[in-house]
Amino acid sequence: MNETTPARPRDGRGSPVVRTWAPGRAVDVRATLGTLRRGAGDPTWRRLPDGFATAWRTPEGEVAVRFAERPTQGAVVVEAWGPGAEWVCDGVPRILGEDDDVSTFVPHHALVAEAFRRFPGWRVPNTGLVLDSLVPAILEQLVTGAEAFAGYRYLVRRHGEAAPGPFDLRLAPTPQRWRLVPSWEWAKAGVDASRAETVLRAVGYAGRLEECAHLPLPDAHARLRAIRGIGAWTSAEVAQRALGDADAVSFGDYHVAKDIGWALTGSPIDDDALAELLEPYAGHRFRVQRLLGLGGHHRPRRGPRMSIRAHTPSVARRR
């Protein structure tokens, strides 16, 4: 049973559009959309007792949206403020992974089967908001998460704008505003010339890239990777969040192959071995990656870690 109540319109006093979605199955909102959060200080995100609030730029305009779980009712309540409120409320099932078909998923490892049982409410999200996922992914190329999150936090606070709604959230900059960020601000954010240039190229094609949400997945990946500086890793990171791609495993990540290899074989592996290991899961390879991550299955962090590096201008690299 999949029930959606009609959205309640905003009134002149700024009341939100409200949508209640009862899909007749478990829904884990935090697990499903948690990868959209870019570190603990992400100014576009706020954790709440029964869910979270976040701020997006939609095709209909800016929005602040609160996702709240109602487990006893088997429902999710969404409240949205701003011009994009109706767009978000209309898209709640898609955003929360209703189109993610798990019926063909067959776990081939005990740990994967265990995680699949433990997280029945997780689905691959599909926000349809390509640029919202793409710019942070570019900033995360070839650096530590802490470094990337700090840079994104600085840029959004300095060059974004206040979101609608009661949560004191910030919106990421518009494509036009990203293009106006001066070079010294990228440097203050710890973003090297290569990544800054890739962001600027990407936002220059913002309209074409947002169309990826309506393309077949192979075509969407091809269009993303046609931008110089965007490779398989970045494309996968976007597809996992904005396109609902259950197969978009993060090849090229510093940790993913090592962690999955350690979890499933007892030893860290490289990308080639990861591709072979996940071959039986074709169509669901990202599902395996995320389920193992949700289950906390990663190798002990006793060895050398990726270091935070100094940033100097360099030739753009694809990741």
Side-chain angles (χ1 to χ4, degrees):
M1 182 173 172
N2 188 332
E3 296 182 353
T4 307
T5 62
R8 189 172 71 225
R10 297 182 303 275
D11 61 27
R13 298 185 299 277
S15 297
V17 175
V18 181
R19 174 67 53 87
T20 299
W21 181 51
R25 64 168 176 85
V27 180
D28 190 332
V29 172
R30 288 175 177 168
T32 297
L33 296 182
T35 55
L36 303 179
R37 184 189 191 198
R38 306 293 177 163
D42 185 347
T44 71
W45 183 284
R46 173 167 294 184
R47 186 162 185 165
L48 302 171
D50 58 355
F52 62 89
T54 189
W56 294 335
R57 294 192 182 277
T58 78
E60 301 298 325
E62 64 272 15
V63 66
V65 54
R66 174 178 182 256
F67 292 89
E69 295 180 0
R70 298 288 184 266
T72 59
Q73 305 169 25
V76 176
V77 177
V78 177
E79 299 175 276
W81 291 258
E86 297 280 0
W87 185 90
V88 167
C89 285
D90 288 345
V92 167
R94 169 185 51 79
I95 290 167
L96 291 175
E98 183 67 1
D99 298 329
D100 179 26
D101 184 7
V102 299
S103 64
T104 60
F105 179 61
V106 178
H108 297 278
H109 297 84
L111 280 183
V112 175
E114 176 195 16
F116 191 46
R117 288 191 299 270
R118 284 181 59 195
F119 300 99
W122 174 77
R123 293 292 188 275
V124 181
N126 185 350
T127 68
L129 303 175
V130 173
L131 213 64
D132 268 26
S133 290
L134 176 58
V135 171
I138 293 170
L139 298 182
E140 292 167 16
Q141 292 175 348
L142 300 170
V143 296
T144 65
E147 186 178 7
F149 297 154
Y152 182 67
R153 182 167 62 244
Y154 176 85
L155 290 166
V156 171
R157 286 176 176 168
R158 289 277 293 174
H159 301 282
E161 62 188 275
F167 302 107
D168 194 27
L169 298 170
R170 300 286 290 177
L171 291 154
T174 63
Q176 295 78 12
R177 191 67 189 88
W178 279 120
R179 289 198 289 267
L180 294 176
V181 175
S183 59
W184 59 86
E185 285 285 79
W186 293 107
K188 284 183 180 179
V191 179
D192 60 28
S194 172
R195 288 178 293 146
E197 290 164 5
T198 301
V199 170
L200 296 177
R201 277 192 294 273
V203 299
Y205 293 97
R208 292 280 290 165
L209 292 177
E210 293 293 1
E211 291 173 0
C212 290
H214 309 290
L215 296 177
L217 286 171
D219 295 341
H221 281 281
R223 184 172 293 189
L224 283 163
R225 294 175 66 176
I227 303 295
R228 184 161 57 92
I230 297 176
W233 181 87
T234 307
S235 178
E237 293 289 307
V238 173
Q240 296 163 5
R241 296 164 172 81
L243 305 178
D245 189 348
D247 200 47
V249 68
S250 300
F251 290 114
D253 192 272
Y254 185 77
H255 295 292
V256 167
K258 298 180 181 71
D259 286 346
I260 295 177
W262 182 86
L264 299 185
T265 73
S267 300
I269 58 177
D270 60 16
D271 276 353
D272 289 339
L274 179 63
E276 183 176 352
L277 180 64
L278 295 183
E279 187 175 355
Y281 293 103
H284 297 276
R285 294 178 299 172
F286 170 61
R287 191 180 313 284
V288 174
Q289 174 186 326
R290 179 64 173 150
L291 285 172
L292 291 174
L294 287 170
H297 300 296
H298 55 75
R299 72 197 191 284
R301 300 290 197 256
R302 292 193 293 266
R305 297 188 179 189
M306 187 176 183
S307 61
I308 297 178
R309 54 193 188 94
H311 295 290
T312 55
S314 60
V315 177
R317 289 155 293 184
R318 297 176 64 87
R319 182 175 175 185

